Amino acid sequence: MSVELLDVFPEVTCTQIVLTAILLLLLSVYWYATSYHGVWERAGIPGPKPLPFLDHMLEFRRHGVEQTINKWFQTYGKNVGVYGLHPHRATLITKDLEIAKQVLVKDFDNFMTRYRPRTTQRSFANGLLAATDDRWRRHRHVTSPMFTGVKMKVMLQHIKASAETLTELIRQCVSKGELISVKLVASKFSTEVIARVGFGVQTHAVSKEENEFAHYARTLVNVATRKLNNTIDMINHFVPHVLPLMMKLLPQIDFINRDSDTYFEHIVSSTLNERKEEKTKTGSGNPRDMLDLLSETEVAKDDPRLHDPQSKALSRDEIIGNSTALILAGVETVSSALQGILYCLALNPDVQLKVLEEIDQVIPDGEDLEYEHLSQLKYTEQGINECLRLFPLLTSLMRVTAETRTYNGVTIPKGAIVTIPINLIMTDPEFWPEPKKFDPTRFTPENKAKRDPFSYMPFGYGPRICLGQRLAMMELKTIMVYLLKEFRFELSERTEPKKGVNIEMETIVGFVSRPVKPVEVEAVPR
């Protein structure tokens, strides 16, 4: 056969064959890199022209993602079609609140699936936060009753106990003349709350020593260096299908820590077995914590109820996944939010004084905090909301389009990603006069009534709004009560950031916002 081919192509050399193969390879790579371009041009959506291979990467690197998107909004309007913001995907970036309403509420079924720039191969992938379509409906059906008013009242007792241990930890720091590392003490507090309300575990947050639960909760998220994050983003951009294989070979690039995940898989599974035996011996009783509530839904992995979106059934893997998600969301959100809150209070002593006066009025010295008091802390809640506006936990909400549909003249094709940059919307002067100014009165009932509710959504909006929103707000209010009863918080030359310097924020795993350097403040006894 080879001789026959040589007879047909007698003048073809090895060099020409190699060059032809290289050319074909380059053409294949070029086709792959540009195959999803042209989507927005066909749909009539304006946007910047992408480069082959790099898409808009050079502009992101030169000016930053947030600044670049803001420039695009100024140039092209509220709806911008781009490429490569998410790996090998056409993405509509929108700050059009009418489109946001369609995506998050009105046509929710077409945008039910969340998009996550980073996937994981850990148990988290089996929980509510990663669930899609009918599986998400079933998970939500099971988990929503965990946050009713009655259960929140019970949780408050655990939160108060944890807030007292947090206060004692700060007392110890003050007595030694130490700064308050907000991330550290807040993580101890939020870990203890989740351990108590979720799993009935005591973690002794007041101690500098960590037990196993607290250690693995704190290290559940792999905190990669900025250089490693950039490397992972590059791999994800150019060869997204290779990343899952790399996570198997290099577990440290998975954003969920393998050792922590293994620990929680073991502790949840063994606790479920113990409680099942206990229930068999003693009969049914009132659920003690969230794990008890989840355990009541457990069915075999081949049970047909797992295919019914209205059933209250979870497999063992799904219970473990939801438990891991509870720890991840419960610890990270509150500890991150408290950094912004104490920084804002320290930066605005007049606001801090008003919050303190309200707390003293609603809960006089010697009176214990009760669930009913929380709704009376109106200015305190306004201050928390304003902090979350300026320092949101998430930079954006992302959804995958199930079917091609047109909304107000904007056609969004099947498979496209819709990105709603809530951090930019919540600092847009169209909705927020003097957007960088810290002003809790933006959230008075009168001012809220004048504003589109979709201009403020730090916990998301619609059916996929953060399930633990009420718990997080209850925790934050309770912390404010306990801390401001004893301390005021200040910035100085030794704090981070220093007095007169702003917090520098960064984005990790594609959409989570956090300070580049952990916030440290002065605590001064009242």
Side-chain angles (χ1 to χ4, degrees):
M1 176 64 77
S2 59
V3 175
E4 293 175 358
L5 287 174
L6 288 175
D7 289 338
V8 176
F9 303 104
E11 297 181 5
V12 175
T13 66
C14 290
T15 301
Q16 290 172 323
I17 292 173
V18 170
L19 290 175
T20 301
I22 292 174
L23 178 61
L24 290 174
L25 178 62
L26 290 175
L27 289 173
S28 298
V29 172
Y30 179 82
W31 174 85
Y32 171 79
T34 59
S35 59
Y36 63 105
H37 290 179
V39 169
W40 301 120
E41 290 78 359
R42 291 191 293 273
I45 306 299
K49 185 176 178 60
L51 295 172
F53 305 105
L54 297 176
D55 295 320
H56 311 294
M57 186 180 294
L58 294 181
E59 201 163 2
F60 289 149
R61 290 296 173 88
R62 190 179 302 120
H63 304 293
V65 175
E66 184 174 319
Q67 292 78 6
T68 300
I69 292 175
N70 256 331
K71 187 186 78 171
W72 287 342
F73 281 143
Q74 294 168 9
T75 304
Y76 302 106
K78 294 184 177 182
N79 296 292
V80 183
V82 303
Y83 306 93
L85 178 63
H86 305 302
H88 211 66
R89 294 273 197 158
T91 302
L92 177 72
I93 309 175
T94 181
K95 66 171 184 175
D96 184 334
L97 299 190
E98 289 302 316
I99 298 295
K101 290 174 190 176
Q102 293 287 347
V103 171
L104 300 176
V105 179
K106 291 185 177 179
D107 199 13
F108 171 75
D109 286 351
N110 198 37
F111 301 95
M112 190 186 305
T113 300
R114 276 179 176 161
Y115 175 74
R116 292 193 175 278
R118 296 272 186 89
T119 58
T120 178
Q121 298 182 351
R122 311 288 181 238
S123 62
F124 179 83
N126 297 316
L128 171 73
L129 297 182
T132 60
D133 302 324
D134 285 347
R135 184 165 164 262
W136 171 81
R137 294 184 187 278
R138 176 169 51 82
H139 279 249
R140 187 76 173 199
H141 199 50
V142 170
T143 53
S144 292
M146 293 182 181
F147 299 94
T148 62
V150 172
K151 291 184 175 65
M152 297 291 284
K153 286 185 178 182
V154 175
M155 291 181 198
L156 179 60
Q157 303 311 310
H158 295 297
I159 294 171
K160 286 161 56 177
S162 299
E164 179 53 47
T165 59
L166 171 65
T167 307
E168 175 57 30
L169 187 58
I170 292 181
R171 289 190 199 111
Q172 293 177 9
C173 293
V174 171
S175 69
K176 298 174 184 177
E178 298 174 350
L179 291 173
I180 308 305
S181 177
V182 183
K183 177 71 172 177
L184 174 64
V185 297
S187 294
K188 284 179 173 288
F189 164 80
S190 54
T191 298
E192 183 171 311
V193 170
I194 291 301
R196 286 172 178 268
V197 304
F199 306 93
V201 174
Q202 303 291 330
T203 64
H204 308 293
V206 72
S207 171
K208 288 287 180 110
E209 301 297 324
E210 286 185 316
N211 66 4
E212 281 190 334
F213 189 100
H215 168 75
Y216 286 116
R218 179 176 60 81
T219 58
L220 183 59
V221 177
N222 264 329
V223 183
T225 64
R226 184 177 291 188
K227 184 176 181 180
L228 179 56
N229 269 321
N230 289 339
T231 301
I232 296 170
D233 287 340
M234 289 282 287
I235 295 169
N236 208 21
H237 178 88
F238 289 111
V239 282
H241 304 300
V242 173
L243 196 59
L245 175 61
M246 291 191 64
M247 284 193 290
K248 290 182 179 180
L249 300 174
L250 301 170
Q252 64 268 30
I253 70 174
D254 194 311
F255 76 89
I256 300 293
N257 182 291
R258 180 176 60 182
D259 292 340
S260 296
D261 188 66
T262 300
Y263 169 80
F264 286 116
E265 279 191 19
H266 172 73
I267 196 173
V268 171
S269 191
S270 60
T271 303
L272 287 171
N273 291 336
E274 290 170 6
R275 293 186 180 185
K276 188 172 290 186
E277 290 180 12
E278 180 184 333
K279 187 174 181 180
T280 301
K281 293 177 182 178
T282 62
S284 60
N286 292 325
R288 292 160 292 185
D289 47 45
M290 291 184 181
L291 190 56
D292 267 355
L293 292 169
L294 289 173
S295 69
E296 293 178 350
T297 70
E298 185 177 2
V299 298
K301 61 182 180 181
D302 57 352
D303 193 294
R305 284 173 289 181
L306 295 177
H307 301 288
D308 179 2
Q310 296 304 314
S311 73
K312 290 190 174 183
L314 295 175
S315 68
R316 173 66 63 96
D317 287 345
E318 289 174 334
I319 291 175
I320 293 172
N322 278 305
S323 299
T324 308
L326 176 65
I327 295 165
L328 178 63
V331 172
E332 287 298 316
T333 53
V334 172
S335 59
S336 296
L338 193 59
Q339 290 192 87
I341 289 169
L342 291 188
Y343 166 74
C344 288
L345 292 180
L347 191 63
N348 299 274
D350 54 329
V351 172
Q352 187 174 174
L353 179 60
K354 288 181 182 179
V355 172
L356 174 59
E357 290 173 345
E358 179 183 68
I359 289 172
D360 284 344
Q361 180 181 359
V362 173
I363 310 152
D365 290 343
E367 189 172 329
D368 196 22
L369 172 67
E370 300 295 342
Y371 184 75
E372 290 69 26
H373 289 142
L374 297 175
S375 61
Q376 299 174 43
L377 297 172
K378 299 185 182 302
Y379 187 78
T380 302
E381 183 173 327
Q382 292 169 24
I384 293 172
N385 286 336
E386 178 69 343
C387 291
L388 293 176
R389 181 185 73 84
L390 290 171
F391 299 101
L393 307 175
L394 306 177
T395 60
S396 55
L397 306 176
M398 293 165 283
R399 300 290 187 268
V400 181
T401 311
E403 299 293 339
T404 300
R405 290 181 189 171
T406 300
Y407 309 95
N408 300 330
V410 177
T411 298
I412 308 176
K414 177 180 179 179
I417 306 298
V418 178
T419 292
I420 304 170
I422 57 176
N423 60 334
L424 300 182
I425 290 173
M426 293 194 298
T427 53
D428 191 321
E430 179 182 349
F431 314 115
W432 310 92
E434 297 182 87
K436 296 298 183 180
K437 179 181 177 182
F438 180 76
D439 181 10
T441 63
R442 298 180 196 272
F443 292 91
T444 63
E446 297 77 17
N447 286 334
K448 286 173 65 177
K450 300 173 186 176
R451 202 168 48 237
D452 191 313
F454 282 80
S455 63
Y456 180 74
M457 40 186 172
F459 294 97
Y461 215 99
R464 289 205 79 146
I465 193 170
C466 175
L467 194 60
Q469 176 184 1
R470 292 179 66 192
L471 176 60
M473 290 299 291
M474 186 166 70
E475 289 183 64
L476 293 172
K477 284 185 182 180
T478 303
I479 293 173
M480 300 272 276
V481 169
Y482 275 77
L483 295 188
L484 293 180
K485 281 285 189 181
E486 293 202 31
F487 308 101
R488 70 176 187 274
F489 296 93
E490 300 176 350
L491 298 179
S492 69
E493 287 304 310
R494 66 175 190 151
T495 58
E496 177 56 52
K498 291 181 172 59
K499 191 174 183 178
V501 179
N502 294 325
I503 293 179
E504 183 184 357
M505 304 295 288
E506 66 178 353
T507 301
I508 60 171
V509 297
F511 63 103
V512 177
S513 180
R514 70 175 184 184
V516 173
K517 297 180 180 179
V519 173
E520 295 182 317
V521 297
E522 304 269 10
V524 181
R526 288 179 59 188

